[in-house]
């Protein structure tokens, strides 16, 4: 996995991810009402995949407000944000400290862990409430070659290899969370999802345009063909059957709720057609997928290619058309740790 673009840019341009989280806030509040404290009386709330933190503020505020509303204003809460070691944690801490929408208040404490959430991150039986939003579609690594860079182009044996890797990663995520959760604790997960045959993530029109843009950059000499052919986005958009597949009963973890949500294109609903929409889509794709797509390039070249691909080519292509470019789907889930 690769961390999202830093320097405050993910915070500024990841509004579609924020819109996705809203579909699970009531479920998170419901889970927070019964979140069990640890032996010392503190409830530990873990945010798995925080990036720069802005999209974590509303969920963490919802959890904290519910906990202190049920248990009393004196209830202490430890919020732990996790992400990869190369995540921009400076922006995360600054956001939590300074943003007017921060969940900070008396009795609430913040910490962070810089490791992959595909391993156990906290001691066994210490987490009272878990949250992960628009993060578990990322795989630990690209499991194999693709005839293109976007995972839904995979067919035949390529698709089988990626499906197996995605299944293994999802099982590893749930196994780690089952170990961390206290008896009676819950884990709420929101993720991009797939549907249909062939598999569709809802971002295919944008990714097809990016593929054309990469071809243009090869033709103009900005990239060479080998660099383009080595690019891949290590993500997998799972179907409902894939989300439900792991057998978690032996882990003491049960799937209480599953809901499929048609998100569509929140950026188009906000901006409509035009230049503002085009810039918003290009910026959102750049901060979300630019780092993993271009990670094989030297940093200075990466910045040049990123500007040419996203800020120039993709923005112009979207501005020249009408209608939405995304048809995102979500899976919203709640898992409960047995008593």
């Amino acid at each position: 996995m690769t961390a999202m673009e830093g320097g405050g840019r993910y915070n500024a341009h990841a509004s579609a991810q924020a819109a996705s989280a809203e579909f699970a806030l009531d479920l998170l509040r419901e889970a927070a009402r019964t979140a069990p404290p640890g032996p010392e009386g503190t409830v530990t709330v873990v945010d798995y995949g925080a990036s720069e933190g802005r999209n974590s503020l509303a969920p963490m505020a919802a959890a904290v407000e519910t906990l202190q509303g049920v248990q009393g204003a004196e209830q202490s809460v430890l919020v732990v944000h996790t992400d990869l070691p190369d995540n921009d944690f400076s922006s995360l801490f600054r956001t939590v400290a300074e943003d007017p929408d921060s969940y900070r208040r008396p009795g609430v404490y913040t910490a962070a862990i810089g490791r992959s959430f595909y391993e156990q991150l906290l001691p066994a039986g210490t987490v009272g409430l878990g949250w992960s939003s628009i993060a578990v579609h990322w795989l630990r690594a690209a499991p194999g070659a693709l005839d293109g860079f976007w995972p839904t182009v995979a067919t035949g044996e390529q698709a089988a290899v990626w499906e197996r890797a995605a299944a293994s990663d999802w099982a590893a995520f749930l196994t780690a969370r089952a170990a961390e959760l206290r008896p009676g604790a819950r884990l709420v997960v929101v993720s991009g999802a797939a549907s249909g045959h062939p598999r569709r993530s809802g971002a295919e029109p944008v990714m097809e345009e990016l593929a054309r843009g990469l071809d243009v950059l090869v033709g103009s000499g900005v990239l060479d063909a080998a660099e383009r052919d080595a690019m891949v986005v290590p993500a997998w958009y799972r179907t409902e059957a894939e989300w439900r597949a792991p057998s978690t009963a032996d882990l003491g973890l049960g799937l209480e709720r599953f809901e499929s949500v048609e998100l569509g294109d929140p950026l188009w609903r906000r901006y409509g057609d035009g230049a503002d929409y085009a810039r918003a889509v290009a910026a959102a794709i750049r901060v979300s997928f630019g780092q993993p797509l271009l990670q094989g390039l030297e940093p200075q070249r990466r910045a040049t290619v990123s500007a040419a691909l996203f800020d120039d080519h993709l923005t112009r292509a979207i501005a020249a058309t009408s209608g939405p470019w995304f048809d995102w789907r979500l899976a919203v889930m709640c898992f409960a740790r047995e008593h």
Side-chain angles (χ1 to χ4, degrees), residues 25-35 58-73 75 77 105 129:
L25 291 184
D26 286 344
L27 191 57
L28 182 64
R29 292 186 184 98
E30 183 180 331
R33 292 186 62 83
T34 57
M60 294 303 97
V64 167
E65 289 167 5
T66 302
L67 282 164
Q68 293 190 333
V70 171
Q71 304 292 343
Q75 173 64 58
V77 181
R105 63 205 66 199
L129 178 63

Side-chain angles (χ1 to χ4, degrees), residues 107-307:
V108 179
Y109 307 91
T110 299
I113 297 173
R115 279 163 46 204
S116 168
F117 55 39
Y118 289 119
E119 59 184 287
Q120 186 174 333
L121 300 178
L122 291 107
T126 59
V127 176
L129 178 63
W131 166 263
S132 183
S133 181
I134 313 301
V136 295
H137 62 290
W138 292 110
L139 304 181
R140 277 183 274 205
L146 289 175
D147 296 325
F149 67 83
W150 189 240
T152 59
V153 304
T155 58
E157 182 55 27
Q158 285 185 353
V161 168
W162 281 66
E163 286 173 8
R164 287 194 294 269
S168 175
D169 283 357
W170 179 226
F173 179 87
L174 293 176
T175 298
R177 304 296 81 79
E180 295 166 352
L181 291 171
R182 293 186 59 75
R186 285 171 170 78
L187 167 70
V188 177
V189 178
V190 186
S191 180
S195 67
H197 301 282
R199 183 185 304 268
R200 304 286 286 182
S201 68
E204 279 70 25
V206 173
M207 299 306 168
E208 290 163 5
E209 190 58 51
L210 283 182
R212 287 189 283 272
L214 290 172
D215 291 341
V216 169
L217 295 183
V218 170
S220 64
V222 174
L223 282 174
D224 64 46
E227 289 174 324
R228 175 201 58 197
D229 295 344
M231 292 178 183
V232 64
V233 173
W236 192 254
Y237 290 79
R238 298 174 181 86
T239 63
E240 180 174 347
E242 289 172 320
W243 289 120
R244 291 180 176 272
S247 177
T248 58
D250 57 341
L251 301 174
L253 192 66
L255 178 59
E256 283 190 331
R257 296 273 293 275
F258 183 97
E259 182 181 0
S260 295
V261 176
E262 297 294 329
L263 179 63
D265 189 342
L267 293 176
W268 190 77
R269 289 195 294 272
R270 178 178 178 181
Y271 294 104
D273 294 328
D276 288 345
Y277 173 66
R279 285 191 292 268
V281 170
I285 291 296
R286 174 174 175 165
V287 301
S288 301
F289 299 104
Q291 292 285 95
L293 180 66
L294 305 179
Q295 63 181 317
L297 302 179
E298 179 272 329
Q300 187 171 351
R301 289 196 63 231
R302 189 186 308 152
T304 300
V305 171
S306 186

